[in-house]
Amino acid sequence: MKKPKYQLIIDFIKEKIAKGEWAIGSPIPSQRNLAKQFEVNRSTVITALEELMAEGLLEGKAGKETVVTNNTWTLMGAKYSTNWNENVTLGIHKPSVSMVQEINQAESDTNLIQLSKGELSPEMFPLEEMKFIVQKISNQLTSFGYEEPKGNLKLRQAISDYLKVRGIEASPSSILVVSGALQALHLISIGLLKRGSTVLLEMPSYLYSLTVFESAGMELQGLAMDKEGLIIDSIYLTKEKGKNILYTIPTFHNPTGALMQEKRREKLIAYCEREQLPVIEDDVYHDLWIDNPPPKPLKAMDLYGNVLYVGSLSKTLSPGLRIGWIVGSESVINRLADLKMQSDYGSSTLSQLVAAEWLSSNFYDSHLDKVREQLRVRRKVALDALDKYLSPYATWDIPKGGLFIWVKIKPEFKVKRLFEKAFSNNILLNPGSIYAEKTGQFIRISYGYASLDEIKVGIFKLSEIIKIK
Amino acid sequence: MKKPKYQLIIDFIKEKIAKGEWAIGSPIPSQRNLAKQFEVNRSTVITALEELMAEGLLEGKAGKETVVTNNTWTLMGAKYSTNWNENVTLGIHKPSVSMVQEINQAESDTNLIQLSKGELSPEMFPLEEMKFIVQKISNQLTSFGYEEPKGNLKLRQAISDYLKVRGIEASPSSILVVSGALQALHLISIGLLKRGSTVLLEMPSYLYSLTVFESAGMELQGLAMDKEGLIIDSIYLTKEKGKNILYTIPTFHNPTGALMQEKRREKLIAYCEREQLPVIEDDVYHDLWIDNPPPKPLKAMDLYGNVLYVGSLSKTLSPGLRIGWIVGSESVINRLADLKMQSDYGSSTLSQLVAAEWLSSNFYDSHLDKVREQLRVRRKVALDALDKYLSPYATWDIPKGGLFIWVKIKPEFKVKRLFEKAFSNNILLNPGSIYAEKTGQFIRISYGYASLDEIKVGIFKLSEIIKIK
Ligand SMILES: Cc1ncc(COP(=O)(O)O)c(C=O)c1O
Ligand SMILES: Cc1ncc(COP(=O)(O)O)c(C=O)c1O
């Protein structure tokens, strides 16, 4: 039984689309060419195309070319928007999409001076200790099956002890082990927040948190900031109770480096209790203080289980471990644990055992001492270079910890041009425009990743670029 | 400034609720007792309670006690239903909630004979090889940062090679590394499926898949099965295109052990192509064949990128590694990779490196040989015991691989009673009722986990229980 000609054309086109060779949005060959290729009349081609249009795979407008609109999977139509390309409606900003993508890709380019990356330099990776610990773990290995819903008990106990030193009393049963702080935000968004709820957050804020909240159908409302972080008076709650939540990074804020002092923390906690405004406290930079330990976390002042506290080993030890935690009242943690099981059935046992060993040995604290020492040097090099080269063109505050200096370029200089020229000179940085329109005159410079020389040279070159306008 | 008395009562109650000491649904102390405790009039107590009711934390019905209804977090009202306790409306069944919970908890009880667990026994865990590989990895360690969106390239290459042997041609760029097959289903549900879509799936099917699909707002439609798995003629598509998806476990199905033969696979693929019905093929038991290798996966016959293929190392090597994969056409994989980044920023580097080493060395294949040998013995012991003790009371088919025997108890015996008596005799099994109402006369017996003696004794005891009715 031979297939009719038009069916051959349909099959051919479907295969091209399904295999991704013809991408969505791209035009297909002209009717004339298809007719030639299949040795048929144009009318046969038209029959095939009409069928494909009816199926929603192609779209042809009068006088325009016919384009691919769909494949079987996109036909399903995701509800979770995963696409940086879509211009999702944002309460607070439209991400400068192509720039974010460009930066993401460029971050794995080892030829660039990375003033963008928010991680510790490989120089600071405690390779010998990590090898030692992984080997120790390998000697103690037993068969590993599925883990308990809240995570390995030894690790939760180690996290509990770690938190006690930082002023937070949390039993292992009120701790959930997660695969990094980002997963914490993801689980909270899909598990605890109602679609259409409003997330109040610092403007600017951690870039990926925006995507996570939005993807889960939240509205975002930006809060004004000063040197101490979010300004409480800028919180404005309209909707009925239970429809707002605050997401905040009070300690060494990403991207501004702001640190909220104790007084404001107390006021904020009192406000949130009064207004029954639940809080997600993202504290991943806590241990990266340089001058003095930061004030206690909000969670340490939280009497009513109003705060969900999020931490991680990514910024201090290794992002590749993918180990973080959520601390909250037990009923909420139980719920999130349920959801964690549904989403990935627990984090890697190997990573959990390695993390437990790090936290419960002295290795972690002595590693942190070294990291702080190096960050102090790195910050100094960056600040000296800024003073020397950029002071005519920009202003900045001295961060008391974390990885970032938030530099305000004077209004007469175009940041977009600076970013692009820097990029073509092999220097990568985060322009403020990717965070919010309002912060378009800022750039975020990380002193955590590039080498000391690169930091110096990078900042010098930035000044050269600005200078020649 | 002293707080008014009623405020003290409010604070006291809020704290009790927030800390979870007073659970949702539980009654609070009587007005009289509260008045006594705080040395105030009843009217003061009533003022406090009214305020709390207005805030939605308490509920009091006339003539009934006042109960806790909420805390700040539950007030947010999850959209993602995470609760086995909720009687979610199901297209195909209401899960026998308390039983599933009971089984889950009992699965970590080492005093029980585990005829329930769907994992390999620790006896089969390749401890020495695992130690060797972890140590090898530790020697090769470099600092590990965030991974590429689709996962470690070495691992993806190893998966690509592994799949080739099984008939699937997939380049590393069309493979996404995930934290186990369950995460694959979670990402697909929240990333590709529209709320209110219908997932067609075998009835019965893998229990957690139901929860994942439902939590993401899908409707479920059960498909009839025979010894070869789903019956194609029972697929019934009502809604418009792009609103249906098929989830199937064609190879050593959980819980029935069914194996779909090549002919039906071909018919199924042709049907799905014709109807533009996308398919999720869950193939986690593929390598656990005992008699002969199973037919090629559906994915191997898929010309149009219609099939998303899901695999994992959990059933063959170790669930604790949390390493699985999704294979699909590149555009879909890109989208899922984006979502994976949003949900946990990639899987553990350690686990990925270990998995890559397993797959790319000869260790994995020789491990599988041993596992198959042991499963053959285990299956024989289980079948012999069934023949010897249970044949008057039940019937079953011989599984050609996987971990389960699906035993049909004759209608004159109550399965609920069997489950309960077995449990009180320290034997755990999965009654068919937790999967679907229709399968209430079945039990699922795993020959993968318990020791040979336990399997024999367990099945013998089941016969004793049935016998004395
Ligand atoms: C504020 C903040 N939270 C969370 C994360 C993500 O951390 P993790 O790697 O633990 O998911 C980052 C990383 O950039 C961050 O800056
Ligand atoms: C059919 C099926 N798919 C997926 C899974 C989950 O596997 P993983 O541990 O890789 O998430 C299971 C485990 O029971 C299963 O039976």
Side-chain angles (χ1 to χ4, degrees):
Chain A
M1 198 180 71
K2 252 180 72 187
K3 280 190 183 177
K5 290 266 184 186
Y6 78 90
Q7 189 60 48
L8 291 178
I9 303 178
I10 290 178
D11 289 353
F12 169 78
I13 294 181
K14 276 193 177 173
E15 187 169 342
K16 288 290 183 193
I17 296 176
K19 293 206 164 155
E21 288 176 36
W22 292 1
I24 294 172
S26 66
I28 67 166
S30 69
Q31 294 179 5
R32 186 167 350 161
N33 283 340
L34 285 170
K36 218 151 113 197
Q37 179 178 350
F38 285 90
E39 298 173 354
V40 295
N41 292 331
R42 274 234 343 231
S43 67
T44 310
V45 173
I46 292 175
T47 308
L49 298 186
E50 275 171 356
E51 163 98 30
L52 289 166
M53 288 185 203
E55 289 186 17
L57 291 170
L58 295 181
E59 201 177 82
K61 292 212 185 84
K64 293 207 175 159
E65 45 198 0
T66 304
V67 297
V68 176
T69 50
N70 255 314
N71 62 36
T72 327
W73 287 98
T74 60
L75 263 184
M76 294 297 294
K79 66 171 209 299
Y80 203 93
S81 122
T82 60
N83 207 330
W84 280 103
N85 279 319
E86 279 166 34
N87 256 348
V88 266
T89 45
L90 296 179
I92 66 166
H93 82 308
K94 287 201 194 290
S96 171
V97 172
S98 58
M99 224 181 236
V100 172
Q101 282 182 327
E102 199 171 9
I103 294 172
N104 278 347
Q105 271 162 23
E107 282 201 344
S108 55
D109 183 341
T110 49
N111 292 318
L112 298 183
I113 295 186
Q114 297 283 355
L115 301 181
S116 161
K117 271 198 183 180
E119 346 172 5
L120 293 184
S121 158
E123 290 171 18
M124 284 184 262
F125 184 78
L127 190 56
E128 289 314 311
E129 291 89 331
M130 185 60 95
K131 281 185 180 173
F132 176 83
I133 284 179
V134 173
Q135 253 160 40
K136 183 167 170 193
I137 294 300
S138 77
N139 286 324
Q140 297 167 347
L141 270 191
T142 55
S143 78
F144 38 99
Y146 289 106
E147 288 279 352
E148 281 179 73
K150 290 182 191 173
N152 182 282
L153 184 58
K154 194 170 163 234
L155 174 55
R156 284 185 289 132
Q157 186 58 59
I159 294 169
S160 170
D161 296 342
Y162 160 93
L163 291 171
K164 193 172 277 163
V165 181
R166 285 147 187 87
I168 296 174
E169 295 281 344
S171 67
S173 61
S174 52
I175 295 172
L176 174 66
V177 174
V178 290
S179 301
L182 192 70
Q183 187 179 51
L185 302 183
H186 174 71
L187 293 175
I188 294 167
S189 313
I190 65 174
L192 296 179
L193 309 187
K194 220 182 302 196
R195 247 158 201 279
S197 296
T198 300
V199 178
L200 303 139
L201 74 184
E202 287 114 8
M203 176 159 73
S205 184
Y206 168 45
L207 208 53
Y208 278 98
S209 76
L210 306 180
T211 326
V212 168
F213 293 130
E214 276 168 356
S215 295
M218 307 293 121
E219 282 167 31
L220 302 181
Q221 192 186 306
L223 301 175
M225 297 182 75
D226 60 17
K227 289 177 192 187
E228 277 205 36
L230 75 86
I231 298 172
I232 299 175
D233 284 341
S234 76
I235 303 181
Y236 177 68
L237 305 172
T238 34
K239 294 201 197 137
E240 73 261 46
K241 287 215 166 120
K243 286 278 257 175
N244 296 296
I245 187 166
L246 174 66
Y247 167 69
T248 178
I249 311 166
T251 306
F252 313 133
H253 178 261
N254 178 3
T256 68
L259 174 65
M260 193 184 287
Q261 298 298 341
E262 193 169 351
K263 273 265 148 7
R264 189 176 300 179
R265 290 178 189 232
E266 281 164 4
K267 266 185 67 183
L268 179 59
I269 276 292
Y271 174 89
C272 292
E273 269 163 17
R274 203 167 56 241
E275 299 293 336
Q276 280 195 287
L277 177 66
V279 181
I280 305 169
E281 178 180 20
D282 185 336
D283 207 21
V284 299
Y285 295 100
H286 188 101
D287 289 333
L288 299 186
W289 51 268
I290 300 179
D291 301 321
N292 294 297
K296 282 188 185 153
L298 298 171
K299 182 70 194 164
M301 311 169 177
D302 168 38
L303 293 178
Y304 301 108
N306 215 31
V307 178
L308 272 181
Y309 180 81
V310 172
S312 158
L313 292 179
S314 292
K315 299 302 165 183
T316 52
L317 185 55
S318 157
L321 273 184
R322 305 314 299 132
I323 293 293
W325 45 85
I326 313 178
V327 181
S329 64
E330 202 170 322
S331 57
V332 176
I333 291 301
N334 287 345
R335 190 179 181 95
L336 290 171
D338 232 9
L339 188 61
K340 166 82 175 153
M341 288 312 266
Q342 281 183 44
S343 51
D344 65 10
Y345 233 106
S347 296
S348 155
T349 300
L350 274 181
S351 277
Q352 292 195 62
L353 294 174
V354 167
E357 192 62 33
W358 269 102
L359 288 177
S360 60
S361 66
N362 290 325
F363 281 130
Y364 188 64
D365 283 334
S366 64
H367 166 65
L368 284 181
D369 285 343
K370 284 185 232 158
V371 167
R372 282 186 205 116
E373 204 41 64
Q374 291 213 39
L375 285 180
R376 188 193 321 278
V377 175
R378 291 170 157 272
R379 182 186 61 175
K380 183 166 188 325
V381 167
L383 289 171
D384 287 352
L386 285 170
D387 276 337
K388 189 156 167 196
Y389 302 118
L390 271 188
S391 46
Y393 318 112
T395 55
W396 54 88
D397 291 319
I398 299 176
K400 297 188 168 64
L403 302 174
F404 310 117
I405 308 178
W406 188 235
V407 177
K408 182 167 193 177
I409 306 294
K410 291 191 177 161
E412 53 271 35
F413 307 101
K414 290 247 177 306
V415 172
K416 186 162 187 290
R417 178 183 163 276
L418 175 61
F419 167 77
E420 282 163 1
K421 290 262 170 199
F423 195 30
S424 59
N425 277 279
N426 286 341
I427 303 167
L428 192 63
L429 50 81
N430 278 10
S433 61
I434 62 176
Y435 299 97
E437 224 178 278
K438 249 181 92 172
T439 55
Q441 273 309 115
F442 288 83
I443 59 175
R444 189 191 80 174
I445 289 187
S446 162
Y447 50 86
Y449 194 85
S451 70
L452 293 182
D453 265 357
E454 286 176 332
I455 293 175
K456 255 184 283 187
V457 171
I459 291 173
F460 166 71
K461 283 198 184 164
L462 291 184
S463 75
E464 295 286 291
I465 292 167
I466 289 191
K467 202 176 296 175
I468 56 167
K469 278 235 196 184
Chain B
M1 200 181 70
K2 253 179 73 186
K3 281 190 182 175
K5 289 267 183 186
Y6 78 90
Q7 190 60 47
L8 291 178
I9 303 178
I10 289 177
D11 289 354
F12 169 78
I13 294 181
K14 276 193 176 173
E15 187 170 342
K16 289 289 183 195
I17 297 175
K19 292 208 164 150
E21 292 177 32
W22 294 1
I24 293 173
S26 65
I28 66 165
S30 69
Q31 294 180 4
R32 188 169 348 166
N33 282 343
L34 286 170
K36 220 152 113 196
Q37 180 179 349
F38 285 90
E39 298 175 352
V40 294
N41 292 329
R42 282 243 323 241
S43 67
T44 310
V45 172
I46 291 173
T47 308
L49 297 187
E50 275 172 354
E51 163 96 31
L52 289 165
M53 289 183 202
E55 289 188 15
L57 291 169
L58 296 181
E59 200 175 83
K61 293 217 183 80
K64 293 207 175 157
E65 42 198 4
T66 304
V67 297
V68 176
T69 50
N70 254 315
N71 62 35
T72 328
W73 286 98
T74 61
L75 263 184
M76 293 298 295
K79 67 168 209 299
Y80 202 92
S81 121
T82 61
N83 207 331
W84 280 103
N85 279 318
E86 278 167 33
N87 256 348
V88 265
T89 45
L90 296 179
I92 66 164
H93 83 308
K94 285 198 194 293
S96 172
V97 174
S98 58
M99 223 181 236
V100 173
Q101 282 182 328
E102 202 172 7
I103 295 171
N104 277 347
Q105 271 162 24
E107 283 201 343
S108 55
D109 184 341
T110 50
N111 292 318
L112 299 183
I113 295 186
Q114 297 283 356
L115 301 181
S116 160
K117 270 197 182 181
E119 352 172 0
L120 293 183
S121 158
E123 290 171 19
M124 283 184 261
F125 184 76
L127 190 55
E128 289 315 310
E129 292 89 331
M130 185 60 94
K131 281 186 182 175
F132 176 82
I133 284 179
V134 174
Q135 255 161 39
K136 182 166 172 196
I137 293 300
S138 78
N139 287 323
Q140 298 167 347
L141 271 189
T142 54
S143 78
F144 36 100
Y146 290 106
E147 287 280 353
E148 279 180 73
K150 289 182 192 173
N152 183 283
L153 185 59
K154 193 170 165 233
L155 174 56
R156 283 185 289 131
Q157 186 57 58
I159 294 170
S160 171
D161 296 341
Y162 160 94
L163 291 172
K164 193 172 281 164
V165 181
R166 284 147 189 86
I168 297 173
E169 293 282 344
S171 68
S173 61
S174 52
I175 295 173
L176 174 67
V177 174
V178 289
S179 300
L182 191 71
Q183 187 179 52
L185 303 183
H186 174 72
L187 293 175
I188 293 167
S189 314
I190 65 174
L192 295 179
L193 309 187
K194 222 182 301 197
R195 248 161 200 279
S197 297
T198 300
V199 179
L200 302 140
L201 74 185
E202 288 114 7
M203 174 160 75
S205 183
Y206 168 45
L207 207 53
Y208 279 97
S209 77
L210 305 181
T211 326
V212 167
F213 292 131
E214 276 169 354
S215 295
M218 306 294 120
E219 281 167 33
L220 302 182
Q221 194 186 305
L223 301 176
M225 298 182 74
D226 59 19
K227 288 177 193 187
E228 276 206 37
L230 76 85
I231 297 173
I232 298 174
D233 284 341
S234 75
I235 302 180
Y236 177 67
L237 305 172
T238 34
K239 294 203 197 133
E240 74 261 47
K241 288 216 165 120
K243 286 280 256 175
N244 297 294
I245 187 167
L246 174 66
Y247 168 70
T248 178
I249 311 166
T251 305
F252 312 132
H253 178 262
N254 177 4
T256 69
L259 174 66
M260 193 184 287
Q261 298 298 344
E262 193 169 348
K263 273 265 151 1
R264 190 174 302 177
R265 288 178 192 234
E266 279 165 6
K267 266 185 69 183
L268 180 59
I269 275 292
Y271 174 88
C272 292
E273 268 163 19
R274 202 167 55 242
E275 299 294 334
Q276 278 196 289
L277 178 65
V279 180
I280 305 169
E281 178 180 22
D282 185 337
D283 206 22
V284 299
Y285 295 101
H286 188 101
D287 289 332
L288 298 186
W289 52 267
I290 299 179
D291 301 322
N292 295 297
K296 282 190 186 153
L298 298 172
K299 182 69 194 164
M301 311 168 176
D302 168 38
L303 293 178
Y304 300 107
N306 215 30
V307 177
L308 272 181
Y309 180 80
V310 172
S312 158
L313 291 179
S314 292
K315 300 301 165 186
T316 51
L317 185 55
S318 157
L321 272 184
R322 307 311 302 130
I323 292 295
W325 44 86
I326 311 178
V327 181
S329 64
E330 202 170 324
S331 58
V332 176
I333 292 300
N334 287 345
R335 189 177 181 96
L336 290 170
D338 231 9
L339 188 60
K340 165 82 175 156
M341 289 311 264
Q342 281 183 44
S343 51
D344 65 10
Y345 232 105
S347 295
S348 156
T349 300
L350 274 181
S351 277
Q352 292 194 65
L353 294 174
V354 167
E357 191 62 34
W358 268 102
L359 288 178
S360 60
S361 67
N362 290 326
F363 282 131
Y364 187 65
D365 283 334
S366 63
H367 166 65
L368 283 181
D369 285 342
K370 284 184 230 157
V371 166
R372 280 186 207 118
E373 205 39 66
Q374 291 213 38
L375 285 180
R376 187 193 320 277
V377 175
R378 291 170 158 273
R379 183 186 61 174
K380 181 165 190 329
V381 166
L383 289 171
D384 286 351
L386 284 170
D387 276 338
K388 186 154 169 202
Y389 304 118
L390 271 189
S391 46
Y393 319 111
T395 55
W396 55 89
D397 292 318
I398 299 175
K400 298 188 168 63
L403 302 174
F404 310 117
I405 307 178
W406 187 236
V407 177
K408 181 167 193 178
I409 307 294
K410 293 193 175 159
E412 53 272 37
F413 308 100
K414 290 246 176 308
V415 172
K416 188 162 187 291
R417 177 182 163 278
L418 176 61
F419 168 76
E420 282 165 3
K421 289 262 172 200
F423 194 30
S424 60
N425 278 279
N426 286 340
I427 302 166
L428 192 64
L429 50 81
N430 278 10
S433 61
I434 62 176
Y435 298 96
E437 225 179 275
K438 248 181 93 172
T439 54
Q441 272 309 116
F442 288 82
I443 58 175
R444 189 191 81 174
I445 289 186
S446 161
Y447 51 85
Y449 195 85
S451 70
L452 293 182
D453 265 358
E454 285 176 334
I455 293 175
K456 255 184 281 187
V457 171
I459 290 174
F460 167 70
K461 282 195 185 169
L462 291 184
S463 74
E464 294 285 292
I465 293 167
I466 290 191
K467 202 176 296 175
I468 57 167
K469 277 233 197 187

